[in-house]
Amino acid sequence: MQSGIPVEFLESVVDLMEDGVVISLPDGGVVYHNPVVLDMFGLAKDSLPRMLSDIGEVNWNKRMNRAAFDAGSQYGIAAASDRPMRFEEKVTVGSTVRFLEITVRRMFPGSRKSELRVIVVRDVSPRRRLEATLQTPGICGLKTSSPEMLRLLERARQIAASDASVLLQGESGTGKSCVARLIHQQSRRSGHPLVEINCAAIPEMLMESEFFGHAKGAFTGATDRRHGKFFAANDGTLFLDEIGEIPIHTQAKLLHAIEERRFHMVGSNETVTVNTRFISASNINLRDAVDRGTFRGDLYYRIAVIPLLIPPLRDRVGDIPVLIQHFLDDLLARGQNANVKFDKSAWQALLNYPWPGNIRELSNAVEHCVICADQGKVALDSLPRDIRLYSQEGTELPAIRKLAPAIESPTEGESNALRDELITALNKARGSKAIAAQLLGVDRTTLWRRMQKAGIAG
Protein backbone atom coordinates (compact mmCIF):
# COMPACT_ATOMS: atom_id res chain seq x y z
CA MET A 1 0.00 0.00 0.00
CA GLN A 2 1.16 3.56 -0.70
CA SER A 3 0.70 4.54 2.94
CA GLY A 4 3.12 1.84 4.04
CA ILE A 5 0.55 0.37 6.46
CA PRO A 6 0.31 -3.42 6.05
CA VAL A 7 -3.03 -4.79 4.84
CA GLU A 8 -3.05 -7.25 7.73
CA PHE A 9 -2.90 -4.39 10.20
CA LEU A 10 -5.85 -2.60 8.57
CA GLU A 11 -7.87 -5.82 8.58
CA SER A 12 -7.14 -6.25 12.29
CA VAL A 13 -8.41 -2.73 12.96
CA VAL A 14 -11.62 -3.35 10.97
CA ASP A 15 -12.13 -6.63 12.83
CA LEU A 16 -12.32 -4.65 16.09
CA MET A 17 -15.22 -2.52 14.86
CA GLU A 18 -18.70 -3.03 16.26
CA ASP A 19 -20.18 -2.53 12.78
CA GLY A 20 -20.18 -5.21 10.13
CA VAL A 21 -18.02 -4.49 7.06
CA VAL A 22 -18.18 -6.13 3.62
CA ILE A 23 -16.18 -5.21 0.51
CA SER A 24 -17.62 -6.55 -2.73
CA LEU A 25 -17.16 -6.34 -6.47
CA PRO A 26 -19.88 -4.93 -8.76
CA ASP A 27 -20.96 -8.50 -9.63
CA GLY A 28 -21.56 -9.29 -5.96
CA GLY A 29 -18.37 -11.19 -5.30
CA VAL A 30 -17.15 -10.80 -1.72
CA VAL A 31 -13.57 -9.57 -1.43
CA TYR A 32 -13.51 -9.09 2.35
CA HIS A 33 -15.81 -9.29 5.39
CA ASN A 34 -15.16 -8.91 9.09
CA PRO A 35 -16.43 -11.43 11.69
CA VAL A 36 -19.09 -9.04 13.05
CA VAL A 37 -21.15 -9.18 9.86
CA LEU A 38 -21.43 -12.96 10.15
CA ASP A 39 -22.84 -12.66 13.66
CA MET A 40 -25.31 -9.94 12.61
CA PHE A 41 -26.85 -12.17 9.96
CA GLY A 42 -26.69 -15.34 12.11
CA LEU A 43 -24.02 -17.11 10.03
CA ALA A 44 -21.51 -19.54 11.47
CA LYS A 45 -18.18 -18.05 12.54
CA ASP A 46 -16.28 -20.19 10.04
CA SER A 47 -18.54 -19.22 7.12
CA LEU A 48 -16.77 -18.03 3.97
CA PRO A 49 -19.36 -16.18 1.89
CA ARG A 50 -18.20 -15.83 -1.70
CA MET A 51 -21.12 -13.76 -2.94
CA LEU A 52 -23.34 -11.16 -1.30
CA SER A 53 -26.25 -13.55 -1.79
CA ASP A 54 -24.53 -15.85 0.76
CA ILE A 55 -24.93 -13.15 3.44
CA GLY A 56 -28.44 -13.24 4.83
CA GLU A 57 -31.74 -13.46 3.01
CA VAL A 58 -31.34 -10.05 1.41
CA ASN A 59 -31.87 -9.23 -2.26
CA TRP A 60 -28.70 -7.14 -2.28
CA ASN A 61 -28.86 -6.01 -5.90
CA LYS A 62 -32.50 -4.88 -5.67
CA ARG A 63 -32.03 -3.14 -2.32
CA MET A 64 -28.86 -1.31 -3.42
CA ASN A 65 -30.52 -0.15 -6.63
CA ARG A 66 -33.51 1.15 -4.70
CA ALA A 67 -31.16 2.97 -2.30
CA ALA A 68 -29.36 4.51 -5.29
CA PHE A 69 -32.65 5.71 -6.80
CA ASP A 70 -33.61 7.21 -3.43
CA ALA A 71 -30.23 8.98 -3.33
CA GLY A 72 -30.93 10.63 -6.70
CA SER A 73 -29.38 8.25 -9.24
CA GLN A 74 -31.52 7.81 -12.39
CA TYR A 75 -29.92 4.50 -13.37
CA GLY A 76 -29.45 2.66 -10.10
CA ILE A 77 -26.22 1.80 -8.37
CA ALA A 78 -24.26 1.19 -11.58
CA ALA A 79 -24.40 4.91 -12.38
CA ALA A 80 -24.62 6.24 -8.82
CA SER A 81 -22.13 8.74 -7.52
CA ASP A 82 -19.72 7.89 -4.73
CA ARG A 83 -22.12 9.33 -2.13
CA PRO A 84 -23.28 6.94 0.62
CA MET A 85 -26.56 5.08 -0.06
CA ARG A 86 -28.57 3.74 2.85
CA PHE A 87 -31.36 1.26 3.45
CA GLU A 88 -32.64 -0.73 6.39
CA GLU A 89 -33.24 -4.46 6.53
CA LYS A 90 -35.15 -6.52 9.08
CA VAL A 91 -33.62 -9.97 9.61
CA THR A 92 -34.55 -12.85 11.87
CA VAL A 93 -31.72 -14.66 13.64
CA GLY A 94 -33.09 -17.63 15.55
CA SER A 95 -35.94 -16.18 17.60
CA THR A 96 -34.53 -12.63 17.52
CA VAL A 97 -35.57 -9.90 15.10
CA ARG A 98 -32.81 -7.46 14.22
CA PHE A 99 -33.00 -4.13 12.43
CA LEU A 100 -29.86 -3.50 10.39
CA GLU A 101 -28.96 -0.13 8.86
CA ILE A 102 -26.88 -0.75 5.74
CA THR A 103 -24.71 1.93 4.11
CA VAL A 104 -23.20 1.31 0.65
CA ARG A 105 -20.56 3.41 -1.05
CA ARG A 106 -18.87 2.95 -4.42
CA MET A 107 -15.08 3.40 -4.29
CA PHE A 108 -12.39 3.39 -6.95
CA PRO A 109 -8.99 2.56 -5.42
CA GLY A 110 -7.10 2.58 -8.73
CA SER A 111 -9.20 3.86 -11.60
CA ARG A 112 -12.87 4.10 -12.55
CA LYS A 113 -12.57 0.56 -13.90
CA SER A 114 -11.46 -0.92 -10.57
CA GLU A 115 -14.69 -0.42 -8.62
CA LEU A 116 -15.27 -1.77 -5.14
CA ARG A 117 -18.40 -1.42 -3.02
CA VAL A 118 -17.88 -0.87 0.70
CA ILE A 119 -20.86 -1.99 2.78
CA VAL A 120 -21.16 -1.05 6.46
CA VAL A 121 -23.85 -2.81 8.53
CA ARG A 122 -24.99 -1.33 11.85
CA ASP A 123 -27.39 -2.98 14.31
CA VAL A 124 -30.00 -0.32 15.18
CA SER A 125 -32.38 -2.74 16.95
CA PRO A 126 -32.25 -0.96 20.36
CA ARG A 127 -33.14 2.35 18.71
CA ARG A 128 -36.02 0.85 16.74
CA ARG A 129 -37.41 -0.92 19.82
CA LEU A 130 -37.24 2.32 21.76
CA GLU A 131 -38.98 4.25 18.97
CA ALA A 132 -41.73 1.63 18.90
CA THR A 133 -42.10 1.99 22.67
CA LEU A 134 -42.37 5.77 22.46
CA GLN A 135 -45.06 5.50 19.79
CA THR A 136 -47.18 3.34 22.09
CA PRO A 137 -50.30 5.18 23.29
CA GLY A 138 -50.03 6.35 26.87
CA ILE A 139 -46.27 7.03 26.98
CA CYS A 140 -47.13 10.67 27.55
CA GLY A 141 -45.69 12.14 24.40
CA LEU A 142 -41.99 11.39 24.86
CA LYS A 143 -40.45 12.60 21.63
CA THR A 144 -36.74 13.18 21.11
CA SER A 145 -33.98 13.20 18.54
CA SER A 146 -31.29 13.90 21.14
CA PRO A 147 -28.65 11.13 21.39
CA GLU A 148 -28.36 11.82 25.14
CA MET A 149 -32.12 11.45 25.67
CA LEU A 150 -32.28 8.36 23.46
CA ARG A 151 -29.56 6.75 25.57
CA LEU A 152 -31.39 7.73 28.76
CA LEU A 153 -34.69 6.31 27.52
CA GLU A 154 -33.01 3.11 26.38
CA ARG A 155 -31.50 2.81 29.87
CA ALA A 156 -34.96 3.41 31.37
CA ARG A 157 -36.37 0.62 29.23
CA GLN A 158 -33.46 -1.62 30.27
CA ILE A 159 -33.91 -1.09 34.02
CA ALA A 160 -37.68 -1.51 33.81
CA ALA A 161 -37.21 -5.28 34.02
CA SER A 162 -35.78 -5.01 37.54
CA ASP A 163 -37.41 -3.94 40.81
CA ALA A 164 -34.55 -1.61 41.75
CA SER A 165 -35.47 1.82 43.09
CA VAL A 166 -34.97 4.61 40.56
CA LEU A 167 -34.29 8.29 41.25
CA LEU A 168 -35.13 10.73 38.43
CA GLN A 169 -33.49 14.13 38.78
CA GLY A 170 -33.91 17.13 36.53
CA GLU A 171 -35.42 20.57 36.37
CA SER A 172 -39.15 21.11 36.61
CA GLY A 173 -40.92 20.27 33.36
CA THR A 174 -38.22 18.05 31.84
CA GLY A 175 -40.49 14.99 31.73
CA LYS A 176 -39.61 13.07 34.88
CA SER A 177 -43.17 11.79 35.29
CA CYS A 178 -43.16 10.63 31.65
CA VAL A 179 -39.98 8.63 32.22
CA ALA A 180 -41.50 7.13 35.37
CA ARG A 181 -44.55 6.02 33.36
CA LEU A 182 -42.30 4.57 30.67
CA ILE A 183 -40.41 2.49 33.26
CA HIS A 184 -43.68 1.24 34.76
CA GLN A 185 -45.28 0.40 31.41
CA GLN A 186 -42.20 -1.54 30.31
CA SER A 187 -42.00 -3.50 33.57
CA ARG A 188 -43.62 -6.75 34.61
CA ARG A 189 -45.81 -4.66 36.93
CA SER A 190 -47.50 -2.85 34.04
CA GLY A 191 -50.75 -4.76 34.64
CA HIS A 192 -50.95 -3.26 38.13
CA PRO A 193 -51.39 0.36 39.26
CA LEU A 194 -48.91 3.17 38.87
CA VAL A 195 -49.75 5.43 41.82
CA GLU A 196 -48.35 8.96 41.61
CA ILE A 197 -47.90 11.24 44.63
CA ASN A 198 -46.86 14.88 44.36
CA CYS A 199 -45.15 15.18 47.74
CA ALA A 200 -45.00 18.99 47.46
CA ALA A 201 -48.79 19.20 47.25
CA ILE A 202 -49.55 17.29 50.47
CA PRO A 203 -49.90 19.32 53.70
CA GLU A 204 -47.27 18.22 56.19
CA MET A 205 -49.84 17.20 58.82
CA LEU A 206 -51.57 14.85 56.35
CA MET A 207 -48.45 13.34 54.78
CA GLU A 208 -48.24 10.16 56.88
CA SER A 209 -51.95 9.48 56.46
CA GLU A 210 -51.67 10.02 52.71
CA PHE A 211 -48.72 7.61 52.47
CA PHE A 212 -49.73 4.88 54.91
CA GLY A 213 -53.47 5.34 55.47
CA HIS A 214 -55.20 5.66 58.82
CA ALA A 215 -57.42 3.67 61.15
CA LYS A 216 -60.90 4.76 62.13
CA GLY A 217 -60.68 7.37 64.90
CA ALA A 218 -56.95 7.94 64.40
CA PHE A 219 -57.53 11.70 64.45
CA THR A 220 -60.38 14.18 64.32
CA GLY A 221 -62.33 13.60 61.12
CA ALA A 222 -61.06 10.02 60.60
CA THR A 223 -64.55 8.54 60.57
CA ASP A 224 -63.53 5.49 58.49
CA ARG A 225 -60.53 3.28 57.94
CA ARG A 226 -58.65 4.43 54.84
CA HIS A 227 -55.78 2.81 52.94
CA GLY A 228 -52.94 5.06 51.78
CA LYS A 229 -50.99 5.34 48.56
CA PHE A 230 -48.46 2.68 49.56
CA PHE A 231 -51.23 0.09 49.81
CA ALA A 232 -52.88 1.34 46.59
CA ALA A 233 -49.61 0.65 44.74
CA ASN A 234 -49.35 -2.95 45.98
CA ASP A 235 -47.94 -5.19 43.20
CA GLY A 236 -47.48 -2.03 41.11
CA THR A 237 -45.28 1.05 41.21
CA LEU A 238 -45.32 4.01 43.58
CA PHE A 239 -44.01 7.25 42.05
CA LEU A 240 -42.92 9.78 44.68
CA ASP A 241 -42.66 13.05 42.77
CA GLU A 242 -40.81 15.97 44.42
CA ILE A 243 -39.57 13.67 47.18
CA GLY A 244 -37.15 16.39 48.30
CA GLU A 245 -40.12 18.33 49.71
CA ILE A 246 -40.82 15.70 52.41
CA PRO A 247 -39.95 17.06 55.89
CA ILE A 248 -36.85 15.56 57.49
CA HIS A 249 -38.80 14.07 60.43
CA THR A 250 -41.12 12.16 58.04
CA GLN A 251 -38.23 10.80 56.00
CA ALA A 252 -37.30 8.24 58.67
CA LYS A 253 -40.73 6.56 58.47
CA LEU A 254 -40.60 6.68 54.69
CA LEU A 255 -37.17 5.01 54.71
CA HIS A 256 -38.45 2.19 56.94
CA ALA A 257 -41.47 1.60 54.69
CA ILE A 258 -39.33 1.49 51.53
CA GLU A 259 -36.67 -0.76 53.07
CA GLU A 260 -38.98 -3.22 54.82
CA ARG A 261 -41.96 -3.02 52.44
CA ARG A 262 -44.17 -2.85 55.52
CA PHE A 263 -45.58 -0.12 57.75
CA HIS A 264 -48.28 0.79 60.29
CA MET A 265 -51.33 2.80 59.38
CA VAL A 266 -51.73 6.00 61.42
CA GLY A 267 -53.51 5.11 64.66
CA SER A 268 -53.05 1.35 64.25
CA ASN A 269 -50.57 -1.29 65.44
CA GLU A 270 -51.45 -3.59 62.55
CA THR A 271 -48.55 -4.22 60.16
CA VAL A 272 -49.37 -3.78 56.48
CA THR A 273 -47.06 -5.52 54.00
CA VAL A 274 -46.79 -4.48 50.36
CA ASN A 275 -44.93 -5.60 47.22
CA THR A 276 -44.17 -2.30 45.55
CA ARG A 277 -41.54 -0.86 43.21
CA PHE A 278 -40.44 2.70 44.06
CA ILE A 279 -39.58 5.48 41.63
CA SER A 280 -38.74 8.91 43.03
CA ALA A 281 -38.18 12.27 41.39
CA SER A 282 -36.81 15.63 42.43
CA ASN A 283 -36.04 18.95 40.75
CA ILE A 284 -33.34 19.70 43.31
CA ASN A 285 -29.98 17.99 43.69
CA LEU A 286 -30.68 15.56 46.53
CA ARG A 287 -26.99 14.81 47.01
CA ASP A 288 -26.46 18.50 47.80
CA ALA A 289 -29.53 18.38 50.08
CA VAL A 290 -27.87 15.51 51.98
CA ASP A 291 -24.75 17.65 52.43
CA ARG A 292 -26.91 20.53 53.71
CA GLY A 293 -28.68 18.23 56.17
CA THR A 294 -32.16 18.74 54.65
CA PHE A 295 -32.39 15.20 53.25
CA ARG A 296 -31.40 11.97 54.95
CA GLY A 297 -28.36 10.25 53.47
CA ASP A 298 -29.68 6.76 54.17
CA LEU A 299 -32.94 7.55 52.39
CA TYR A 300 -31.05 9.02 49.44
CA TYR A 301 -28.98 5.87 48.96
CA ARG A 302 -32.08 3.69 49.30
CA ILE A 303 -34.06 5.52 46.58
CA ALA A 304 -31.08 6.20 44.26
CA VAL A 305 -30.06 2.63 43.46
CA ILE A 306 -30.33 3.70 39.80
CA PRO A 307 -30.12 7.50 39.39
CA LEU A 308 -31.08 9.06 36.06
CA LEU A 309 -30.45 12.72 35.26
CA ILE A 310 -32.84 14.19 32.67
CA PRO A 311 -31.22 17.06 30.73
CA PRO A 312 -33.04 20.39 30.42
CA LEU A 313 -34.55 21.40 27.09
CA ARG A 314 -31.95 24.17 26.58
CA ASP A 315 -29.27 21.45 26.39
CA ARG A 316 -31.07 19.61 23.59
CA VAL A 317 -32.16 22.37 21.23
CA GLY A 318 -32.61 19.83 18.43
CA ASP A 319 -35.65 18.48 20.26
CA ILE A 320 -37.52 21.79 20.05
CA PRO A 321 -38.79 21.34 16.43
CA VAL A 322 -39.64 17.69 17.16
CA LEU A 323 -41.64 18.61 20.26
CA ILE A 324 -43.35 21.56 18.59
CA GLN A 325 -44.62 19.28 15.83
CA HIS A 326 -45.75 16.74 18.43
CA PHE A 327 -47.71 19.38 20.34
CA LEU A 328 -49.25 20.69 17.11
CA ASP A 329 -50.36 17.15 16.21
CA ASP A 330 -51.81 16.77 19.70
CA LEU A 331 -53.77 20.02 19.38
CA LEU A 332 -55.10 18.89 15.99
CA ALA A 333 -56.21 15.59 17.54
CA ARG A 334 -58.06 17.59 20.22
CA GLY A 335 -59.97 19.48 17.54
CA GLN A 336 -58.03 22.76 17.45
CA ASN A 337 -57.07 24.39 14.17
CA ALA A 338 -53.33 23.89 14.65
CA ASN A 339 -52.34 23.99 10.97
CA VAL A 340 -49.92 26.90 11.39
CA LYS A 341 -46.59 27.98 9.94
CA PHE A 342 -43.81 29.63 11.93
CA ASP A 343 -41.89 32.44 10.27
CA LYS A 344 -38.12 32.81 10.58
CA SER A 345 -38.19 35.31 13.45
CA ALA A 346 -40.53 33.09 15.49
CA TRP A 347 -38.36 30.02 14.91
CA GLN A 348 -35.24 31.95 15.89
CA ALA A 349 -36.84 33.20 19.10
CA LEU A 350 -38.07 29.70 20.03
CA LEU A 351 -34.67 28.12 19.41
CA ASN A 352 -32.76 30.82 21.31
CA TYR A 353 -35.03 30.94 24.38
CA PRO A 354 -33.58 29.06 27.41
CA TRP A 355 -36.90 27.38 28.36
CA PRO A 356 -36.70 27.57 32.19
CA GLY A 357 -40.02 25.68 32.32
CA ASN A 358 -38.69 23.08 29.87
CA ILE A 359 -41.13 20.84 27.97
CA ARG A 360 -44.13 21.95 30.00
CA GLU A 361 -43.45 25.57 29.10
CA LEU A 362 -42.91 24.67 25.43
CA SER A 363 -46.27 22.86 25.33
CA ASN A 364 -48.04 25.93 26.69
CA ALA A 365 -46.12 28.19 24.29
CA VAL A 366 -47.20 26.13 21.27
CA GLU A 367 -50.86 26.38 22.31
CA HIS A 368 -50.41 30.13 22.81
CA CYS A 369 -48.92 30.41 19.30
CA VAL A 370 -51.81 28.50 17.72
CA ILE A 371 -54.39 30.71 19.42
CA CYS A 372 -52.57 33.95 18.60
CA ALA A 373 -51.53 33.05 15.03
CA ASP A 374 -52.58 35.53 12.35
CA GLN A 375 -54.26 33.66 9.48
CA GLY A 376 -52.26 30.52 10.19
CA LYS A 377 -48.92 32.33 10.48
CA VAL A 378 -46.95 32.45 13.74
CA ALA A 379 -44.80 35.57 13.88
CA LEU A 380 -42.78 37.05 16.72
CA ASP A 381 -45.87 38.88 17.99
CA SER A 382 -47.70 35.55 18.30
CA LEU A 383 -45.24 34.23 20.89
CA PRO A 384 -45.74 34.40 24.68
CA ARG A 385 -44.52 37.58 26.37
CA ASP A 386 -41.52 35.97 28.12
CA ILE A 387 -40.14 34.67 24.82
CA ARG A 388 -40.69 38.00 23.04
CA LEU A 389 -38.93 39.90 25.84
CA TYR A 390 -36.00 37.52 25.81
CA SER A 391 -35.61 37.74 22.02
CA GLN A 392 -35.63 41.54 22.19
CA GLU A 393 -32.89 41.56 24.82
CA GLY A 394 -30.72 39.11 22.88
CA THR A 395 -29.63 35.62 23.80
CA GLU A 396 -27.31 36.51 26.70
CA LEU A 397 -28.83 36.68 30.16
CA PRO A 398 -27.27 39.12 32.65
CA ALA A 399 -24.82 37.27 34.86
CA ILE A 400 -25.66 37.34 38.56
CA ARG A 401 -24.91 34.98 41.41
CA LYS A 402 -27.23 32.01 41.72
CA LEU A 403 -29.65 32.14 44.62
CA ALA A 404 -28.39 30.34 47.67
CA PRO A 405 -30.31 27.35 49.04
CA ALA A 406 -33.26 28.27 51.22
CA ILE A 407 -32.37 28.78 54.87
CA GLU A 408 -34.68 27.26 57.46
CA SER A 409 -34.51 30.19 59.90
CA PRO A 410 -32.77 33.12 58.20
CA THR A 411 -31.51 36.07 60.18
CA GLU A 412 -32.84 39.54 59.41
CA GLY A 413 -29.71 40.30 57.39
CA GLU A 414 -30.00 37.09 55.41
CA SER A 415 -33.69 37.75 54.73
CA ASN A 416 -32.90 41.23 53.43
CA ALA A 417 -30.09 39.89 51.23
CA LEU A 418 -32.36 37.23 49.71
CA ARG A 419 -35.12 39.80 49.19
CA ASP A 420 -32.72 42.19 47.45
CA GLU A 421 -31.48 39.42 45.20
CA LEU A 422 -35.03 38.45 44.23
CA ILE A 423 -35.90 42.08 43.42
CA THR A 424 -32.70 42.49 41.36
CA ALA A 425 -33.49 39.42 39.30
CA LEU A 426 -37.11 40.44 38.74
CA ASN A 427 -36.02 43.91 37.65
CA LYS A 428 -33.47 42.55 35.20
CA ALA A 429 -36.12 40.14 33.86
CA ARG A 430 -38.57 43.05 33.44
CA GLY A 431 -41.02 41.32 35.74
CA SER A 432 -40.90 37.94 33.97
CA LYS A 433 -40.82 35.25 36.65
CA ALA A 434 -39.71 32.63 34.12
CA ILE A 435 -36.60 34.61 33.19
CA ALA A 436 -35.97 35.66 36.82
CA ALA A 437 -35.99 31.99 37.83
CA GLN A 438 -33.53 31.24 35.03
CA LEU A 439 -31.24 34.04 36.22
CA LEU A 440 -31.27 32.68 39.77
CA GLY A 441 -30.84 29.05 38.78
CA VAL A 442 -34.10 27.83 40.33
CA ASP A 443 -37.46 26.69 38.98
CA ARG A 444 -40.47 28.99 38.99
CA THR A 445 -42.18 27.16 41.87
CA THR A 446 -39.16 27.75 44.12
CA LEU A 447 -39.02 31.39 43.00
CA TRP A 448 -42.69 31.87 43.87
CA ARG A 449 -42.24 30.34 47.34
CA ARG A 450 -39.27 32.56 48.10
CA MET A 451 -41.13 35.62 46.85
CA GLN A 452 -43.95 34.77 49.26
CA LYS A 453 -41.51 34.39 52.17
CA ALA A 454 -39.83 37.67 51.25
CA GLY A 455 -43.18 39.49 51.06
CA ILE A 456 -42.84 40.28 47.36
CA ALA A 457 -46.17 40.48 45.55
CA GLY A 458 -46.48 37.84 42.81
Side-chain angles (χ1 to χ4, degrees):
M1 296 183 64
Q2 292 182 351
S3 64
I5 301 176
V7 174
E8 294 80 7
F9 175 79
L10 294 177
E11 288 183 353
S12 299
V13 172
V14 175
D15 287 350
L16 294 173
M17 294 174 60
E18 294 183 358
D19 294 339
V21 178
V22 180
I23 301 176
S24 76
L25 299 170
D27 65 359
V30 174
V31 177
Y32 168 81
H33 66 83
N34 67 350
V36 177
V37 80
L38 300 178
D39 180 67
M40 286 181 168
F41 285 94
L43 301 176
K45 292 182 179 180
D46 57 354
S47 296
L48 295 172
R50 299 189 177 188
M51 303 292 293
L52 285 176
S53 56
D54 297 331
I55 302 177
E57 297 180 3
V58 180
N59 189 331
W60 288 94
N61 189 54
K62 180 179 179 181
R63 297 295 277 122
M64 287 193 291
N65 274 308
R66 170 48 59 190
F69 286 129
D70 292 342
S73 172
Q74 295 182 351
Y75 303 103
I77 191 169
S81 69
D82 56 0
R83 290 180 302 177
M85 295 160 281
R86 292 183 177 85
F87 62 94
E88 194 167 297
E89 196 72 25
K90 183 170 75 171
V91 301
T92 302
V93 179
S95 59
T96 303
V97 175
R98 291 179 180 168
F99 295 89
L100 304 179
E101 183 182 75
I102 299 172
T103 303
V104 184
R105 185 167 184 172
R106 300 173 74 212
M107 303 191 76
F108 304 91
S111 67
R112 299 295 293 183
K113 294 182 179 179
S114 58
E115 177 185 346
L116 292 175
R117 295 175 182 177
V118 178
I119 303 169
V120 178
V121 185
R122 175 166 295 175
D123 190 346
V124 294
S125 303
R127 189 199 312 167
R128 292 292 173 261
R129 285 195 295 269
L130 178 60
E131 288 171 352
T133 297
L134 298 183
Q135 290 168 2
T136 303
I139 303 292
C140 145
L142 279 171
K143 299 288 182 181
T144 183
S145 61
S146 161
E148 183 180 3
M149 274 299 291
L150 285 170
R151 286 193 295 271
L152 183 143
L153 294 174
E154 175 61 22
R155 176 57 59 87
R157 192 188 66 81
Q158 177 186 6
I159 64 180
S162 77
D163 277 338
S165 296
V166 180
L167 174 61
L168 306 172
Q169 294 198 105
E171 295 177 10
S172 180
T174 50
K176 297 185 291 295
S177 59
C178 293
V179 176
R181 290 167 199 161
L182 172 64
I183 294 171
H184 174 72
Q185 291 183 15
Q186 290 292 297
S187 75
R188 61 183 178 82
R189 297 176 180 269
S190 59
H192 299 281
L194 168 66
V195 178
E196 303 184 31
I197 308 177
N198 185 341
C199 301
I202 305 173
E204 183 177 338
M205 65 184 68
L206 298 178
M207 197 163 278
E208 285 187 46
S209 173
E210 192 70 19
F211 286 164
F212 310 126
H214 60 255
K216 182 178 179 179
F219 49 82
T220 303
T223 55
D224 294 297
R225 173 187 172 97
R226 178 180 176 274
H227 289 294
K229 301 296 187 183
F230 271 62
F231 186 84
N234 190 30
D235 292 328
T237 304
L238 183 64
F239 176 44
L240 297 165
D241 198 9
E242 304 302 347
I243 193 171
E245 300 297 326
I246 296 177
I248 191 78
H249 60 268
T250 306
Q251 292 175 20
K253 296 180 180 178
L254 180 62
L255 171 64
H256 180 268
I258 292 176
E259 278 190 328
E260 303 298 330
R261 299 297 200 272
R262 62 175 183 263
F263 52 88
H264 297 297
M265 299 173 71
V266 176
S268 172
N269 292 324
E270 177 188 351
T271 299
V272 180
T273 303
V274 293
N275 173 23
T276 304
R277 200 249 182 97
F278 296 95
I279 303 176
S280 306
S282 178
N283 61 8
I284 63 172
N285 188 318
L286 290 184
R287 192 66 191 82
D288 289 347
V290 171
D291 293 339
R292 294 195 305 267
T294 58
F295 198 84
R296 292 179 62 106
D298 46 8
L299 177 57
Y300 171 78
Y301 292 114
R302 173 55 59 186
I303 64 175
V305 176
I306 302 178
L308 294 177
L309 178 63
I310 303 177
L313 187 56
R314 64 179 173 274
D315 289 348
R316 43 191 176 104
V317 178
D319 275 354
I320 292 174
V322 176
L323 288 165
I324 287 176
Q325 188 58 54
H326 167 69
F327 294 135
L328 288 173
D329 292 341
D330 186 56
L331 289 170
L332 278 170
R334 285 156 47 189
Q336 292 199 40
N337 184 12
N339 189 17
V340 297
K341 300 291 184 184
F342 292 79
D343 71 13
K344 185 177 180 180
S345 63
W347 269 121
Q348 197 65 46
L350 290 167
L351 292 173
N352 287 340
Y353 186 63
W355 299 107
N358 292 290
I359 297 172
R360 186 180 297 121
E361 184 181 12
L362 178 60
S363 174
N364 293 337
V366 170
E367 187 167 8
H368 182 285
C369 291
V370 168
I371 294 170
C372 297
D374 184 9
Q375 297 181 344
K377 182 179 179 181
V378 177
L380 192 60
D381 288 344
S382 309
L383 303 181
R385 178 176 178 272
D386 289 341
I387 302 174
R388 293 200 314 273
L389 284 175
Y390 185 80
S391 68
Q392 291 164 7
E393 288 295 311
T395 58
E396 292 297 323
L397 285 170
I400 66 173
R401 182 174 61 84
K402 286 191 174 184
L403 194 63
I407 303 170
E408 291 296 326
S409 301
T411 64
E412 183 178 351
E414 289 168 335
S415 296
N416 290 336
L418 289 172
R419 189 174 191 278
D420 290 343
E421 194 164 25
L422 287 168
I423 292 172
T424 299
L426 289 165
N427 287 338
K428 288 186 177 182
R430 295 187 177 183
S432 168
K433 296 180 187 63
I435 297 177
Q438 175 72 14
L439 288 170
L440 295 169
V442 299
D443 60 76
R444 280 185 289 187
T445 302
T446 301
L447 175 66
W448 180 84
R449 286 180 188 147
R450 296 185 184 182
M451 287 173 61
Q452 297 299 306
K453 288 182 180 178
I456 300 173

